[in-house]
PDB file of all heavy atoms in Angstrom:
ATOM      1  N   ARG A 232      -2.074  -8.639  20.070  1.00  0.00           N
ATOM      2  CA  ARG A 232      -1.261  -9.783  20.484  1.00  0.00           C
ATOM      3  C   ARG A 232      -2.149 -10.977  20.793  1.00  0.00           C
ATOM      4  O   ARG A 232      -1.864 -12.114  20.400  1.00  0.00           O
ATOM      5  CB  ARG A 232      -0.429  -9.410  21.717  1.00  0.00           C
ATOM      6  CG  ARG A 232       0.450 -10.544  22.218  1.00  0.00           C
ATOM      7  CD  ARG A 232       1.231 -10.098  23.445  1.00  0.00           C
ATOM      8  NE  ARG A 232       2.147  -9.010  23.125  1.00  0.00           N
ATOM      9  CZ  ARG A 232       2.806  -8.324  24.049  1.00  0.00           C
ATOM     10  NH1 ARG A 232       2.650  -8.610  25.318  1.00  0.00           N
ATOM     11  NH2 ARG A 232       3.618  -7.353  23.688  1.00  0.00           N
ATOM     12  N   ALA A 233      -3.254 -10.718  21.503  1.00  0.00           N
ATOM     13  CA  ALA A 233      -4.179 -11.799  21.834  1.00  0.00           C
ATOM     14  C   ALA A 233      -4.799 -12.397  20.582  1.00  0.00           C
ATOM     15  O   ALA A 233      -4.938 -13.619  20.461  1.00  0.00           O
ATOM     16  CB  ALA A 233      -5.273 -11.270  22.759  1.00  0.00           C
ATOM     17  N   GLU A 234      -5.148 -11.534  19.625  1.00  0.00           N
ATOM     18  CA  GLU A 234      -5.716 -12.022  18.366  1.00  0.00           C
ATOM     19  C   GLU A 234      -4.691 -12.850  17.603  1.00  0.00           C
ATOM     20  O   GLU A 234      -5.032 -13.840  16.957  1.00  0.00           O
ATOM     21  CB  GLU A 234      -6.192 -10.846  17.519  1.00  0.00           C
ATOM     22  CG  GLU A 234      -7.440 -10.176  18.068  1.00  0.00           C
ATOM     23  CD  GLU A 234      -7.813  -8.920  17.302  1.00  0.00           C
ATOM     24  OE1 GLU A 234      -7.008  -8.489  16.444  1.00  0.00           O
ATOM     25  OE2 GLU A 234      -8.896  -8.366  17.562  1.00  0.00           O
ATOM     26  N   GLY A 235      -3.423 -12.439  17.688  1.00  0.00           N
ATOM     27  CA  GLY A 235      -2.369 -13.196  17.029  1.00  0.00           C
ATOM     28  C   GLY A 235      -2.241 -14.594  17.603  1.00  0.00           C
ATOM     29  O   GLY A 235      -2.053 -15.575  16.878  1.00  0.00           O
ATOM     30  N   ILE A 236      -2.359 -14.683  18.920  1.00  0.00           N
ATOM     31  CA  ILE A 236      -2.303 -15.988  19.568  1.00  0.00           C
ATOM     32  C   ILE A 236      -3.473 -16.852  19.103  1.00  0.00           C
ATOM     33  O   ILE A 236      -3.316 -18.031  18.774  1.00  0.00           O
ATOM     34  CB  ILE A 236      -2.331 -15.825  21.102  1.00  0.00           C
ATOM     35  CG1 ILE A 236      -1.028 -15.166  21.573  1.00  0.00           C
ATOM     36  CG2 ILE A 236      -2.527 -17.167  21.796  1.00  0.00           C
ATOM     37  CD1 ILE A 236      -1.033 -14.776  23.034  1.00  0.00           C
ATOM     38  N   GLU A 237      -4.662 -16.247  19.063  1.00  0.00           N
ATOM     39  CA  GLU A 237      -5.841 -16.995  18.649  1.00  0.00           C
ATOM     40  C   GLU A 237      -5.738 -17.432  17.183  1.00  0.00           C
ATOM     41  O   GLU A 237      -6.130 -18.539  16.824  1.00  0.00           O
ATOM     42  CB  GLU A 237      -7.095 -16.140  18.865  1.00  0.00           C
ATOM     43  CG  GLU A 237      -7.386 -15.895  20.342  1.00  0.00           C
ATOM     44  CD  GLU A 237      -8.589 -15.003  20.545  1.00  0.00           C
ATOM     45  OE1 GLU A 237      -9.226 -14.630  19.535  1.00  0.00           O
ATOM     46  OE2 GLU A 237      -8.894 -14.683  21.701  1.00  0.00           O
ATOM     47  N   GLN A 238      -5.193 -16.553  16.345  1.00  0.00           N
ATOM     48  CA  GLN A 238      -5.022 -16.914  14.940  1.00  0.00           C
ATOM     49  C   GLN A 238      -4.022 -18.053  14.784  1.00  0.00           C
ATOM     50  O   GLN A 238      -4.183 -18.940  13.951  1.00  0.00           O
ATOM     51  CB  GLN A 238      -4.559 -15.697  14.142  1.00  0.00           C
ATOM     52  CG  GLN A 238      -5.648 -14.650  13.967  1.00  0.00           C
ATOM     53  CD  GLN A 238      -5.129 -13.371  13.355  1.00  0.00           C
ATOM     54  OE1 GLN A 238      -3.955 -13.262  12.995  1.00  0.00           O
ATOM     55  NE2 GLN A 238      -5.994 -12.383  13.243  1.00  0.00           N
ATOM     56  N   GLY A 239      -2.966 -18.031  15.605  1.00  0.00           N
ATOM     57  CA  GLY A 239      -1.980 -19.104  15.556  1.00  0.00           C
ATOM     58  C   GLY A 239      -2.595 -20.435  15.938  1.00  0.00           C
ATOM     59  O   GLY A 239      -2.313 -21.472  15.314  1.00  0.00           O
ATOM     60  N   ILE A 240      -3.445 -20.404  16.932  1.00  0.00           N
ATOM     61  CA  ILE A 240      -4.120 -21.630  17.346  1.00  0.00           C
ATOM     62  C   ILE A 240      -5.051 -22.111  16.253  1.00  0.00           C
ATOM     63  O   ILE A 240      -5.126 -23.305  15.942  1.00  0.00           O
ATOM     64  CB  ILE A 240      -4.886 -21.384  18.662  1.00  0.00           C
ATOM     65  CG1 ILE A 240      -3.879 -21.130  19.792  1.00  0.00           C
ATOM     66  CG2 ILE A 240      -5.779 -22.562  19.000  1.00  0.00           C
ATOM     67  CD1 ILE A 240      -4.504 -20.680  21.081  1.00  0.00           C
ATOM     68  N   ALA A 241      -5.752 -21.168  15.612  1.00  0.00           N
ATOM     69  CA  ALA A 241      -6.657 -21.542  14.524  1.00  0.00           C
ATOM     70  C   ALA A 241      -5.890 -22.166  13.368  1.00  0.00           C
ATOM     71  O   ALA A 241      -6.341 -23.136  12.751  1.00  0.00           O
ATOM     72  CB  ALA A 241      -7.425 -20.310  14.048  1.00  0.00           C
ATOM     73  N   GLN A 242      -4.723 -21.596  13.062  1.00  0.00           N
ATOM     74  CA  GLN A 242      -3.909 -22.142  11.976  1.00  0.00           C
ATOM     75  C   GLN A 242      -3.429 -23.544  12.323  1.00  0.00           C
ATOM     76  O   GLN A 242      -3.423 -24.445  11.485  1.00  0.00           O
ATOM     77  CB  GLN A 242      -2.717 -21.230  11.715  1.00  0.00           C
ATOM     78  CG  GLN A 242      -1.850 -21.701  10.555  1.00  0.00           C
ATOM     79  CD  GLN A 242      -0.704 -20.760  10.284  1.00  0.00           C
ATOM     80  OE1 GLN A 242      -0.594 -19.700  10.899  1.00  0.00           O
ATOM     81  NE2 GLN A 242       0.152 -21.140   9.368  1.00  0.00           N
TER      82      GLN A 242
END
Side-chain angles (χ1 to χ4, degrees):
R232 180 180 297 171
E234 289 174 352
I236 292 172
E237 292 178 3
Q238 289 172 3
I240 293 172
Q242 182 178 355

